[in-house]
Amino acid sequence: MAKFSGYKCSVCGKEYTPDSVTYTCPDDGGNLDVTYDYSLLASRINPDEILSSSDASIWRYTALLPVDDPGYDGTPLKSVGWTPIYSPQSLMKELGLELLWIKDDGRNPTASFKDRASAIVVARAKEIEAEVVVTASTGNAGAALAGMAAAAAHQAVIFAPKTAPPAKIAQLLVFGAKVYLVDGNYDQAFDLSIKAAETFGWYCRNTGFNPFTAEGKKTAAYEIWEQVMVKQNLKKPLCIFISVGDGNIISGLHKGFKDLQALGWLEKIPRIFGVQSVGSAAIANAFGKGTEEILSVQADTLADSISVDMPRDGLRALRAATHTDGAYITVGDESILLAIARLGKEGIFAEPAAATAFAGLQKAIESGLITPIDPVLVMNTGSGLKDVKAAQKAVQPAPIIEPTLRALEAVMK
Ligand SMILES: *Cc1c(COP(=O)(O)O)cnc(C)c1O
Ligand SMILES: [Zn+2]
């Protein structure tokens, strides 16, 4: 018996039983939401049990997940999530905000938010007895799948653009994945990975394709609910800033809050603000035009993890903002580099795609979209160590000196 009721298409609304589909809606290719019997869940689960859980990982929410506890105790798969929340006072003052939190998902086992999705997909792979798991990735989703698959002794196959940052490619290889670097962009790697999965019978994790990725990503919403909304007894609507590429993280967050509301544990869903790079702004463009029609762009941004021509989860990503009184914001690569440097001053190291969310907050404050009384949470989706070249562009280089005090004094002037 499946732990979930089935799937519902986000485009046509058609419902499917747990065993009748695997990826997207057979009728229109729409992304599927995993559905539950919330009244049954609410009657079975006492939220206090979750709130007092000593499990410091996403597995504290096993009762609300579509998969069973997969085992693998004592492995990185079991330490995904429950990432730290910071509230840097000097930054808060500088921005003129009364309340600010930064949730650091760079602190996941493979150093990005993607571990949440990959852990759930690997657990699902075990349940459906899929030996080989495959994904297309700009780097982080692949590293997460490779790491989680390694922990669970599954074989991972990763298709990444050959331009992916070296640190991400190194992670894939070190975790023992079969890696194919595609001479093309992410969108082309995506299409190839689906053909390969069909041809060779591999289980495909692709973002905005496999419905279980959003089920993993929703755990961040549960953590924000616990760590901020319940713990701080927050009354005003929280404003969440999140970087958006394919749109699956923001959709997953939205889903998590909708779950909590359906369970009767949350009154008001936070306002969700998606931030895209000006050079990869397909969803923000649609938001700006007030339409749900998302048109492809030719992505060009240094924030590689959100460099996407055609977002694979665009519609749900758009609705995450339009249905929550949020918005979409675009920022340029220059602002993204400045955001890396500013977060660094708080001891927080973000890769470009992750710092994009903070750059979006800065812009939202400047434009008056966010006011001082709005409580704000910014997600840091990936560690700065993922892309060292970009980090170096964000700061002045260090001087190289002779090993003498005189040389030191000379440059200190
Ligand atoms: C994947 C990723 C994103 C964007 O997530 P989407 O689901 O593609 O919108 C943002 N930041 C980082 C670091 C990522 O790896
Ligand atoms: Zn459909």
Side-chain angles (χ1 to χ4, degrees), residues 8-14 16 24-32:
K8 185 171 181 185
C9 175
S10 57
V11 175
C12 68
K14 196 164 165 189
Y16 297 93
T24 51
C25 176
D27 284 359
D28 53 25
N31 288 115
L32 299 178

Side-chain angles (χ1 to χ4, degrees), residues 112 114 140 207 217 243-250 305-306 308 351 353-354 381-382:
S112 88
K114 301 292 197 295
N140 285 340
T207 297
K217 288 166 176 176
S243 312
V244 175
D246 270 320
N248 192 241
I249 293 182
I250 195 169
S305 301
I306 51 170
V308 172
E351 69 164 275
T381 42

Side-chain angles (χ1 to χ4, degrees), residues 322-338:
T322 55
H323 290 189
T324 66
D325 191 24
Y328 266 84
I329 296 159
T330 57
V331 294
D333 283 356
E334 274 310 306
S335 314
I336 293 171
L337 289 176
L338 289 170

Side-chain angles (χ1 to χ4, degrees), residues 29-251:
N31 288 115
L32 299 178
D33 285 318
V34 175
T35 56
Y36 298 85
D37 182 342
Y38 289 105
S39 49
L40 183 70
L41 283 179
S43 71
R44 279 194 193 152
I45 310 161
N46 180 346
D48 289 334
E49 269 167 45
I50 289 175
L51 291 165
S52 61
S53 168
S54 60
D55 185 337
S57 78
I58 58 171
W59 301 104
R60 67 196 280 114
Y61 307 115
T62 299
L64 302 174
L65 295 175
V67 292
D68 281 316
D69 181 337
Y72 310 122
D73 288 359
T75 72
L77 197 146
K78 274 306 180 60
S79 74
V80 173
W82 202 247
T83 51
I85 295 248
Y86 311 124
S87 42
Q89 297 299 316
S90 53
L91 187 56
M92 215 179 292
K93 254 199 210 124
E94 184 181 303
L95 295 172
L97 293 173
E98 283 174 15
L99 291 166
L100 171 69
W101 294 277
I102 297 175
K103 185 162 173 65
D104 191 2
D105 257 52
R107 293 279 301 277
N108 273 303
T110 79
S112 88
F113 192 106
K114 301 292 197 295
D115 283 341
R116 296 179 185 275
S118 292
I120 300 302
V121 169
V122 168
R124 177 68 178 167
K126 184 187 181 188
E127 286 182 0
I128 62 172
E129 294 173 12
E131 282 297 312
V132 182
V133 286
V134 58
T135 198
S137 170
T138 58
N140 285 340
L145 186 64
M148 296 303 118
H154 282 258
Q155 178 66 54
V157 181
I158 312 296
F159 295 90
K162 69 170 190 193
T163 52
K168 296 182 183 181
I169 296 171
Q171 274 188 301
L172 300 175
L173 295 167
V174 166
F175 291 143
K178 282 214 164 55
V179 181
Y180 299 100
L181 296 178
V182 177
D183 191 3
N185 65 9
Y186 168 63
D187 295 72
Q188 290 168 310
F190 194 100
D191 293 338
L192 174 60
S193 69
I194 290 179
K195 281 185 203 140
E198 271 171 17
T199 305
F200 304 112
W202 298 334
Y203 185 49
C204 186
R205 176 219 177 274
N206 277 11
T207 297
F209 183 65
N210 186 316
F212 288 86
T213 59
E215 290 299 298
K217 288 166 176 176
K218 76 180 185 181
T219 57
Y222 297 167
E223 290 174 24
I224 292 168
W225 169 67
E226 283 199 70
Q227 294 174 322
V228 174
M229 302 170 80
V230 174
K231 195 168 164 208
Q232 314 274 337
N233 193 19
L234 202 64
K235 294 285 178 248
K236 291 188 197 117
L238 184 63
C239 300
I240 298 177
F241 281 74
I242 181 80
S243 312
V244 175
D246 270 320
N248 192 241
I249 293 182
I250 195 169
S251 304

